[in-house]
Amino acid sequence: MHRSPRDFFRPMALGAPEPIRAIPFPPSRMIHFFDPSNAKMAAKAPSIARKVDILLGNLEDAVAADKKEAARQGFIEIAKANDFGETQLWTRVNALESPWFLDDVMQILQAAGDKLDVIMVPKVEGPWDIHYVDRLLAQLEARFSLTKPILVHAILETALGVSNVESIAMASPRMQGLSLGPADLAASRRMKTTRVGGGHPGYIVRADPGASEADPRPTAQQDLWHYTMARMVDACAAAGILPFYGPFGDIRDTVACEDQFRNAFLLGCVGAWSLHPVQIEIAKRVFSPPADEIAWAKRVIEAMGDGTGAVMLDGKMQDDATVKQCKVALDLARSLAERDPELKERYQL
Ligand code: GLV
Ligand code: MG
């Protein structure tokens, strides 16, 4: 048996705010990670916040065990001391099975719950994990008199999580989105990579012998992440939540990072993680649609009038479905342009 659909939007604790019905979609091109236990990074957080769409204080992996409490405390202090304006403030808490998760959530909601938009939960394996977080957040929202519900973002980074991705995405009205976690996922699946995201030169297909004189057996590298990313995008779109590509660990390889981000953008992701300032610029470039696509989208929409029927433009057939695609691009451009005068100019909006 399932809960009645009528109860889906009822608070899960007396005194908790009502769940929201539609997930907000402000600019979300990059989730910028920083380590709040690192004094240098923490000092820069307020100025970085002005350059990014989402600022995330990371408490989980990459923060050493003896720095966990300092990271949590550092995040709370930064959250309390700053007004982040339109930039969203997120945190990635430790995993549900860890000794830190409960204090991460309790202390952050108590001290800075009104500043926090989204909690990123790592290593989510099934809807049961989301149900637990859902009820706990409701209890803490009620306890600390929070008026805006905290949303939940899950990382898809275990084989079981991927197997359950659709039910994770649909588990709660708090679900804001999903990110691909290629590093943990590779380990969980026993993939033989030793990197954080991106391709691998060994993952290829080879042509039959004698395919061409110059190169008798040409090969093409394939994308290790395509299957998971496509499943994640479908699960998110079906649930009305937002998919993100995750981390790209080779900071110096800005070219491959851009390719990986662009594949994600083209497949339907709204953003990616940035682990270094150089990746902020890459994400901004990739996840803002190209100006010529926006000019084309405007042309198609205008030529299609009420959006039904068919016309030819430059020899290409347009119909109701191309109008819908063009509206996706144009809506995104409009939302980005609202906050960015340079993009407004570039898109001529
Ligand atoms: C991210 O957390 C990953 O494991 O790739
Ligand atoms: Mg991980």
Side-chain angles (χ1 to χ4, degrees), residues 183-204:
D184 270 301
L185 183 54
S188 165
R189 281 178 175 159
R190 295 201 199 95
M191 288 167 71
K192 301 304 178 296
T193 52
T194 52
R195 27 178 100 187
V196 179
H200 191 287
Y203 195 71
I204 56 174

Side-chain angles (χ1 to χ4, degrees), residues 60-61 92 123 157 184:
E60 199 224 8
D61 291 359
R92 178 170 79 166
K123 300 173 178 75
E157 53 182 353
D184 270 301

Side-chain angles (χ1 to χ4, degrees), residues 191-259:
M191 288 167 71
K192 301 304 178 296
T193 52
T194 52
R195 27 178 100 187
V196 179
H200 191 287
Y203 195 71
I204 56 174
V205 289
R206 187 179 299 274
D208 284 354
S212 85
E213 292 266 303
D215 183 356
R217 304 293 303 269
T219 62
Q221 195 175 316
Q222 307 289 296
D223 183 358
L224 285 165
W225 304 110
H226 180 262
Y227 150 76
T228 315
M229 203 121 81
R231 262 196 84 176
M232 179 180 77
V233 167
D234 279 343
C236 285
I241 68 174
L242 306 173
F244 293 71
Y245 177 74
F248 188 89
D250 190 343
I251 307 297
R252 281 178 305 183
D253 194 351
T254 52
V255 175
C257 176
E258 178 158 344
D259 293 339

Side-chain angles (χ1 to χ4, degrees), residues 118-130:
V118 174
I119 288 189
M120 181 186 276
V121 183
K123 300 173 178 75
V124 170
E125 305 221 278
W128 53 87
D129 285 338
I130 302 300

Side-chain angles (χ1 to χ4, degrees), residues 29 284-285 287-289 291 294 332-333 335-349:
R29 294 164 294 182
K284 207 173 255 183
R285 185 160 63 245
F287 290 98
S288 308
I294 297 308
L332 175 59
S335 139
L336 298 174
E338 251 174 51
R339 293 205 196 153
D340 184 337
E342 207 183 299
L343 280 179
K344 192 170 157 71
E345 170 88 30
R346 200 179 322 153
Y347 295 147
Q348 296 183 18
L349 288 169

